[in-house]
Amino acid sequence: MSNTMYNKMWHQTQEALGALLDKEPQKMVEPQRNQVFIFQTLATFYIKYVQIFRNLENVYDQIVHPQKRILIRKVLDGVMGRILELKNEMVELELTEFHYFDDILQDLKLAPQQLDIPIPKYFLKEKLEVIKGREKILAQILADSGIDTSEMKFPVKSMPFDQAVKLIQIAERARQGRLRALFMKQIYLQEYRAKQSKTLGKKVTDSWAAALCIQKVWRRFHQCKKTEKLREEEMIFLGMNPPPLFNEVSATVIQAEKVDRLRNEVQMKHEEDYREALVTIKNDLKLIEGLDIKENLQDQIRHWFIECRNLTGTFPDYPDIEEGGSAIIFSNKTIQQEEDEKWKMSPSLFLPAMKEGCNAYKEIWMNKDESWNFSQDFDPELIKEEKRKELESEIRVQVDELMRQELKNLKLAVDREREHPAKVGKKKKKGKKGKKKEKKTKKDKDLTADRTIESLYKELVEEGLLIQALKVNLSDYIGEYSYLGTTLRQVSIEPMPSLLDVRQLITLYGIWPLGSAAVHEKAPLVKSLLLAGPSGVGKKMLVHAICTETGANLFNLSSSNIAGKYPGKNGLQMMLHAVFKVARQLQPSVVWIEDTEKTFYKKVPNAEKTNEPKRLKRHLLQILKLLKPDDRILIVGTTRRPFDAELQPFCRVYQKIILVPRPDYASRYVLWKQIIERNGGVLTSALNVSCLAKVTDGFTQGHIVKVVKAVLTDQRIRRQIHKPLTAVEFITAITSMDPVYKEEEESFKNWYAKTPLGKKRALAITGGSTEKAKDKGKRKE
């Protein structure tokens, strides 16, 4: 796709956003009592913003004009924040983290796939060098400490010499036995053929009858092949089977990827040129226009002196530097206008930024003639306008000093006035403020003030508290959409969330805020996240995916990992201080607590008492209170037994609780197909994937991955050409595993119903009003 096409896409998206921004305040201001109508309004805006975000993200990733990208980025962050605000509103309205938009998607003629929320590519692109550098340092520290990650993944077991010799002998004898059996088979076949030729030679056969027999066999074979081909074509036409070479990467896709790479290189070059131009153009302006700007400012200020003298009879007092100097004299009108606009604005924190972006687009880019700028390089005139303002403010500071002196001289010469002494009161007040700040800083003691971040980083890596995240993308968390959510809710049945619903929440609550500082500071703040679900549903994978998609550091504060490390109260205090100091300095960061129910045990089992699993219990809530909007740190807990924890402190620590379910039929169908293909398997008509998905009800993603890896050995992959895969092979392998029974799933549902949001939802469903539900939830929290 050319730059022209991306420009066109940008213009269309900006127009759609402008229309939405005009429409939203009208709809939101209208008083409504109907909860269904309110939800549909919020959901419609949410879906439309998601479509705008998808387009803007694509445009920002591919467009090469550096000044356009600055504006698009500003609007993109605003749209992300607004989506999070609308999501928060829907959660408070429906009292559930999961929402279903089947009917609205149908009205808007959109597929569920278009509601998928992409992760902005700039999260990693803009700090790729930092991430690579950090990975190298981490790998070096691990290597120096003797903790090799490759050894951890593939442990090599040592073996006694005698046992090794015996093993080789067994293998060699088996190989010789196979060769001997093959040789004997060949001899047997030769003898059999010789016997057959002797018996057939004695019989006299009719040549016509033989020819007819051959024709019958050939025609039957030919017709079977023809029928198979016709059936395959019919299935492809109906959309039941994929077309030939469907999974092969076409030359067009390869070319498109090449163009993307080239466009990224052009982007980087244009960015560098733009940064250089910001300096050079400013210097040129200073030389050419600097004196003129200075003279104009002096003339304006002198004119102000004379006007005030004529109106009041005395010269005015010159504004202080703190007040903004002479700039404040000429900006009173604009301040009044801004105040009027603010009064009319929506309470959203992101709408002003989006409106500002839309206004900038209309003023600069909407009708701009760019026929001269085919390469989409920076526009020097726009830089000049921007730098003129900067230069003017810098020169104004110098002019203010000169004009203050000039005003003194005027007052002495004309009015014979003596200058009033400096205001002592103000200075004293400033001194008091300074003292207060000093007192505040004394309270927050830095336990490691004498140490560098690098040394703390190294120590945490060596202690195993800062670990290397696995390279897992969120797209690797495979699943399918829930297509009947709205229908089930209409008949008062609460559907289990689908795997893609969970994936969306991870994007909204984890990846977006960690990836974008602008979004994290203003969006509804999520400091902690709990992933609860049975073993094997991908909770650990989701934690690693958050780190991979945002380039975040991963700290492991699981009770089993911190056992015996930093003993005593002082040790624990030092450990937490070091972890969160490094997490802040090298943000974004994820603090992971695996099996987090152990930290909140109702009763600690005797076997675990020595590990002190509840060490962090008292401190976690304090840490959460200290986390500010500009700290991109997320605490993520994973648990497969949440019912073992004390509910109240557990729910106080984790703001957002996400139930991760076992996969439903649709998700299992997609999982089987994709995992088999990823492990080298070939899907043919001999393999009934639908049967596999049906039979494996209750089995998790972990079970499916284990089974596929066990069946698809190197030898089995090679034999696929002669013997295609069948469902029986996988079913035989899965019989030795225990599924997640319905009772276990129900226990998770029952536990969630006791959480604050679960209580509110249950009360709302049984007939209580939303307000009562909210009040009740607040009291019992």
Side-chain angles (χ1 to χ4, degrees):
M1 198 184 279
S2 65
N3 277 316
T4 313
M5 289 298 289
Y6 281 113
N7 272 317
K8 192 178 178 182
M9 188 194 285
W10 178 44
H11 289 305
Q12 287 171 348
T13 309
Q14 281 288 165
E15 283 171 21
L17 179 60
L20 200 59
L21 288 172
D22 292 338
K23 197 177 177 184
E24 191 183 340
Q26 297 167 9
K27 286 274 181 185
M28 293 302 179
V29 169
E30 290 171 12
Q32 285 290 337
R33 288 186 181 179
N34 187 342
Q35 192 171 328
V36 176
F37 181 83
I38 296 166
F39 175 74
Q40 289 207 331
T41 306
L42 287 169
T44 306
F45 280 117
Y46 174 83
I47 292 164
K48 286 181 178 178
Y49 273 119
V50 167
Q51 302 316 302
I52 286 165
F53 171 75
R54 285 164 67 90
N55 289 337
L56 275 178
E57 197 278 323
N58 197 6
V59 167
Y60 181 72
D61 184 53
Q62 293 298 320
I63 216 161
V64 296
H65 197 298
Q67 287 149 304
K68 286 178 184 176
R69 293 185 83 239
I70 291 166
L71 179 60
I72 294 164
R73 170 67 179 275
K74 186 180 182 179
V75 176
L76 185 67
D77 284 343
V79 172
M80 284 165 70
R82 188 64 188 141
I83 288 169
L84 290 172
E85 285 179 337
L86 289 167
K87 174 69 181 176
N88 192 52
E89 287 292 328
M90 289 191 291
V91 171
E92 287 184 4
L93 184 74
E94 283 211 311
L95 304 169
T96 176
E97 297 290 354
F98 301 99
H99 312 290
Y100 302 100
F101 313 111
D102 315 343
D103 48 346
I104 302 165
L105 287 172
Q106 208 169 352
D107 294 341
L108 296 171
K109 294 180 173 60
L110 294 171
Q113 288 78 7
Q114 286 170 288
L115 202 61
D116 197 19
I117 299 167
I119 297 159
K121 296 174 192 73
Y122 80 80
F123 284 2
L124 293 177
K125 263 188 182 179
E126 290 183 2
K127 52 183 178 183
L128 201 61
E129 289 178 14
V130 176
I131 293 165
K132 281 181 179 176
R134 206 179 287 164
E135 281 176 357
K136 279 182 184 177
I137 293 163
L138 183 59
Q140 187 63 47
I141 294 166
L142 289 168
D144 293 345
S145 309
I147 310 164
D148 190 6
T149 49
S150 58
E151 282 178 15
M152 286 162 73
K153 286 177 189 174
F154 308 104
V156 179
K157 291 180 181 178
S158 58
M159 187 183 291
F161 181 75
D162 296 344
Q163 198 177 339
V165 169
K166 193 178 179 182
L167 195 69
I168 293 164
Q169 284 176 341
I170 291 164
E172 179 58 25
R173 282 170 189 157
R175 189 185 69 82
Q176 287 177 6
R178 284 195 297 273
L179 287 171
R180 192 167 181 277
L182 187 66
F183 181 64
M184 293 301 290
K185 188 182 178 182
Q186 285 171 352
I187 292 168
Y188 168 76
L189 287 169
Q190 281 176 0
E191 288 176 357
Y192 179 74
R193 285 179 196 132
K195 281 180 186 177
Q196 287 286 94
S197 60
K198 281 178 186 177
T199 52
L200 288 168
K202 289 175 185 177
K203 292 179 182 178
V204 180
T205 54
D206 187 359
S207 60
W208 288 103
L212 188 67
C213 184
I214 292 164
Q215 282 178 351
K216 279 180 182 178
V217 173
W218 166 249
R219 281 174 182 167
R220 180 180 172 279
F221 172 77
H222 183 68
Q223 189 58 43
C224 282
K225 286 286 176 189
K226 195 177 177 182
T227 308
E228 275 180 25
K229 193 180 177 184
L230 286 168
R231 278 181 185 166
E232 186 65 25
E233 284 173 0
E234 187 184 9
M235 293 297 274
I236 290 165
F237 174 74
L238 293 170
M240 300 296 284
N241 281 355
L245 308 175
F246 178 72
N247 292 322
E248 288 190 17
V249 181
S250 67
T252 315
V253 173
I254 293 163
Q255 180 62 24
E257 286 173 356
K258 189 181 176 183
V259 170
D260 277 355
R261 283 195 297 273
L262 288 168
R263 190 177 277 116
N264 287 335
E265 287 171 16
V266 173
Q267 256 182 16
M268 288 169 73
K269 187 181 178 297
H270 284 192
E271 289 282 349
E272 283 172 18
D273 293 346
Y274 174 67
R275 281 196 290 270
E276 285 172 15
L278 288 172
V279 178
T280 54
I281 288 173
K282 187 178 177 181
N283 292 336
D284 293 344
L285 278 172
K286 198 171 186 177
L287 287 169
I288 298 161
E289 298 180 17
L291 283 168
D292 292 339
I293 291 168
K294 189 177 180 180
E295 285 173 10
N296 287 337
L297 286 171
Q298 284 177 325
D299 289 344
Q300 281 178 3
I301 294 162
R302 283 193 191 106
H303 185 68
W304 174 62
F305 291 166
I306 294 157
E307 270 190 352
C308 287
R309 180 81 165 71
N310 292 339
L311 288 167
T312 61
T314 55
F315 286 111
D317 291 329
Y318 209 94
D320 293 337
I321 297 165
E322 291 82 4
E323 291 171 356
S326 59
I328 201 166
I329 303 161
F330 309 103
S331 63
N332 285 338
K333 288 179 183 177
T334 54
I335 287 167
Q336 189 59 47
Q337 283 170 3
E338 280 174 18
E339 281 174 3
D340 291 344
E341 281 172 16
K342 279 180 184 175
W343 183 77
K344 292 175 186 175
M345 278 183 189
S346 165
S348 167
L349 295 171
F350 292 94
L351 281 176
M354 285 192 284
K355 284 180 181 175
E356 200 179 317
C358 283
N359 291 336
Y361 162 76
K362 285 172 186 173
E363 287 169 15
I364 302 166
W365 301 107
M366 193 173 177
N367 300 312
K368 193 174 178 67
D369 179 23
E370 288 192 276
S371 54
W372 60 274
N373 193 4
F374 179 75
S375 64
Q376 288 291 287
D377 210 340
F378 65 85
D379 187 338
E381 289 304 315
L382 288 175
I383 296 175
K384 281 179 184 176
E385 283 177 30
E386 186 188 329
K387 291 297 164 187
R388 252 188 217 105
K389 289 173 185 175
E390 272 186 36
L391 192 62
E392 189 179 306
S393 62
E394 286 172 15
I395 292 169
R396 190 181 288 280
V397 175
Q398 298 167 9
V399 169
D400 282 352
E401 286 179 19
L402 293 170
M403 297 311 288
R404 272 193 192 92
Q405 191 58 46
E406 193 173 311
L407 185 61
K408 277 182 191 177
N409 297 337
L410 276 168
K411 282 180 178 181
L412 287 167
V414 180
D415 292 343
R416 302 284 177 192
E417 287 177 9
R418 288 185 184 180
E419 233 194 342
H420 296 290
K423 291 174 185 177
V424 183
K426 281 187 180 178
K427 285 184 181 177
K428 280 183 182 177
K429 281 179 185 176
K430 282 177 190 174
K432 281 179 185 176
K433 281 182 184 176
K435 280 178 185 176
K436 279 181 184 177
K437 282 179 184 176
E438 280 173 19
K439 280 179 185 177
K440 280 183 183 177
T441 51
K442 278 178 187 176
K443 284 180 185 177
D444 304 327
K445 287 181 183 177
D446 188 353
L447 300 174
T448 53
D450 56 332
R451 292 185 61 183
T452 61
I453 289 295
E454 289 77 14
S455 68
L456 287 172
Y457 184 91
K458 189 180 178 184
E459 185 185 314
L460 292 173
V461 173
E462 287 169 351
E463 289 289 342
L465 298 176
L466 202 163
I467 61 171
Q468 198 164 25
L470 301 172
K471 294 288 174 192
V472 182
N473 292 313
L474 194 65
S475 56
D476 296 332
Y477 190 74
I478 306 158
E480 189 51 280
Y481 296 90
S482 178
Y483 294 97
L484 295 170
T486 305
T487 313
L488 289 168
R489 278 194 176 167
Q490 282 169 355
V491 293
S492 299
I493 297 170
E494 188 62 24
M496 273 302 279
S498 72
L499 300 186
L500 290 191
D501 291 332
V502 171
R503 196 167 87 180
Q504 280 200 357
L505 288 185
I506 294 296
T507 306
L508 292 171
Y509 294 151
I511 294 169
W512 274 13
L514 284 179
S516 171
V519 171
H520 194 275
E521 281 176 27
K522 293 180 182 177
L525 191 58
V526 176
K527 298 178 182 180
S528 55
L529 192 64
L530 177 68
L531 304 176
S535 182
V537 291
K539 302 183 294 295
K540 187 177 176 180
M541 178 188 175
L542 288 169
V543 174
H544 287 279
I546 292 170
C547 297
T548 304
E549 297 289 4
T550 58
N553 299 293
L554 182 58
F555 297 88
N556 186 354
L557 291 185
S558 307
S559 60
S560 57
N561 192 46
I562 63 170
K565 295 172 185 176
Y566 296 93
K569 283 184 180 179
N570 293 336
L572 181 62
Q573 195 178 355
M574 178 61 78
M575 180 185 76
L576 291 172
H577 168 78
V579 165
F580 282 92
K581 186 176 180 179
V582 173
R584 275 192 185 91
Q585 289 290 324
L586 306 176
Q587 55 184 274
S589 298
V590 172
V591 177
W592 175 37
I593 306 172
E594 191 180 11
D595 296 329
T596 187
E597 78 283 350
K598 292 181 179 180
T599 310
F600 300 90
Y601 262 143
K602 291 174 187 173
K603 189 182 178 183
V604 180
N606 292 329
E608 293 183 44
K609 277 182 180 177
T610 51
N611 292 341
E612 295 181 88
K614 294 172 78 171
R615 280 178 84 194
L616 289 179
K617 185 183 173 183
R618 290 179 184 177
H619 298 273
L620 282 175
L621 207 58
Q622 293 169 4
I623 289 163
L624 281 172
K625 285 175 184 175
L626 292 171
L627 291 179
K628 296 167 187 173
D630 56 344
D631 297 327
R632 280 186 292 153
I633 300 169
L634 182 70
I635 296 172
V636 183
T638 55
T639 175
R640 54 187 170 180
R641 293 195 58 81
F643 6 89
D644 291 349
E646 285 182 68
L647 192 65
Q648 284 189 346
F650 202 40
C651 294
R652 275 198 212 104
V653 165
Y654 292 107
Q655 288 175 293
K656 294 285 180 184
I657 298 169
I658 301 171
L659 273 189
V660 187
R662 59 182 187 172
D664 56 5
Y665 169 78
S667 292
R668 288 196 303 277
Y669 184 82
V670 175
L671 275 161
W672 275 112
K673 284 179 78 173
Q674 292 203 26
I675 292 168
I676 287 169
E677 285 179 328
R678 286 183 185 192
N679 284 276
V682 178
L683 300 172
T684 62
S685 54
L687 178 62
N688 191 339
V689 181
S690 180
C691 168
L692 268 178
K694 194 74 181 166
V695 169
T696 53
D697 183 15
F699 290 93
T700 63
Q701 298 96 309
H703 290 128
I704 293 168
V705 170
K706 278 180 188 174
V707 167
V708 170
K709 284 183 176 177
V711 172
L712 291 178
T713 58
D714 292 340
Q715 189 182 2
R716 185 66 189 89
I717 289 166
R718 287 195 296 271
R719 285 174 58 218
Q720 281 182 105
I721 304 162
H722 309 292
K723 189 184 175 185
L725 291 168
T726 59
V728 178
E729 295 176 71
F730 296 100
I731 291 165
T732 308
I734 210 164
T735 50
S736 60
M737 296 179 183
D738 291 323
V740 176
Y741 295 104
K742 211 163 190 178
E743 290 78 10
E744 190 177 345
E745 195 175 69
E746 285 299 319
S747 65
F748 277 97
K749 274 187 176 181
N750 295 336
W751 172 81
Y752 186 76
K754 294 172 187 174
T755 63
L757 195 66
K759 279 180 187 175
K760 293 175 190 176
R761 176 75 186 163
L763 189 66
I765 289 169
T766 51
S769 68
T770 311
E771 286 176 15
K772 282 181 185 175
K774 284 178 183 174
D775 292 340
K776 192 170 182 182
K778 278 177 187 174
R779 280 184 212 134
K780 292 192 179 181
E781 276 172 36

